[in-house]
């Protein structure tokens, strides 16, 4: 898996319990998957499925959340991407796996219709 996104969790991202809102993590998952899709040459992609997200550990304000992604399957117009989310406590060094999920994207044209993916290799210095 390649690094896709790294974000510091802020108070604005919390839920009523004082931990990071699950919806915020879902948004980051979706973005990380799109980063991986673009890295292999997909252009405009839309999310069609996020498969089973199970939150194993809470994420706290001040944690650094790292998302790692890998393309696991490329079809004619669709891609499946696995994304792993980890939370790192900058002081104390605690690091936990928050969740892992599979996301499915479809490449579309400007009208929203599926179009074939022309897979390309990422540049050597690309992170994802």
């Amino acid at each position: 898996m390649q690094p896709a996104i790294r974000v510091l969790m802020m108070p604005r991202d919390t839920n009523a319990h004082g931990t990071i809102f699950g919806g915020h993590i879902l948004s980051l998952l979706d973005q990380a998957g799109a980063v991986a899709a673009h890295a292999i040459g997909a252009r405009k992609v839309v999310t069609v499925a996020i498969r089973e997200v199970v939150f194993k550990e809470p994420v706290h304000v001040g944690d650094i959340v790292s998302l790692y992604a890998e393309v696991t399957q490329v079809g004619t117009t669709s891609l499946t991407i696995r994304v792993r989310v980890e939370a790192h406590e900058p002081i104390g060094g605690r690091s936990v796996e928050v969740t892992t999920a599979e996301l499915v994207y479809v490449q579309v044209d400007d009208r929203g219709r599926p179009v074939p993916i022309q897979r390309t290799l990422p540049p050597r210095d690309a992170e994802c």
Side-chain angles (χ1 to χ4, degrees), residues 60-103:
H60 304 279
V61 171
D63 283 353
I64 297 169
V65 172
S66 299
L67 294 95
Y68 302 90
E70 68 177 335
V71 177
T72 59
Q73 186 176 351
V74 179
T76 304
T77 62
S78 66
L79 305 103
T80 302
I81 299 171
R82 179 183 306 263
V83 179
R84 184 178 74 238
V85 181
E86 296 178 0
H88 311 279
E89 189 179 88
I91 299 170
R94 175 183 146 276
S95 186
V96 295
E97 181 180 339
V98 175
T99 192
T100 299
E102 257 188 6
L103 295 91

Side-chain angles (χ1 to χ4, degrees), residues 42-56:
R43 304 239 182 236
K44 184 177 184 180
V45 294
V46 295
T47 310
V48 295
I50 299 177
R51 298 188 179 135
E52 194 175 28
V53 176
V54 176
F55 293 104
K56 300 173 186 174

Side-chain angles (χ1 to χ4, degrees), residues 100-123:
T100 299
E102 257 188 6
L103 295 91
V104 180
Y105 298 86
V106 170
Q107 180 171 261
V108 297
D109 62 17
D110 290 335
R111 292 184 168 151
R113 295 184 188 141
V115 294
I117 296 168
Q118 306 258 329
R119 187 172 182 165
T120 60
L121 294 175

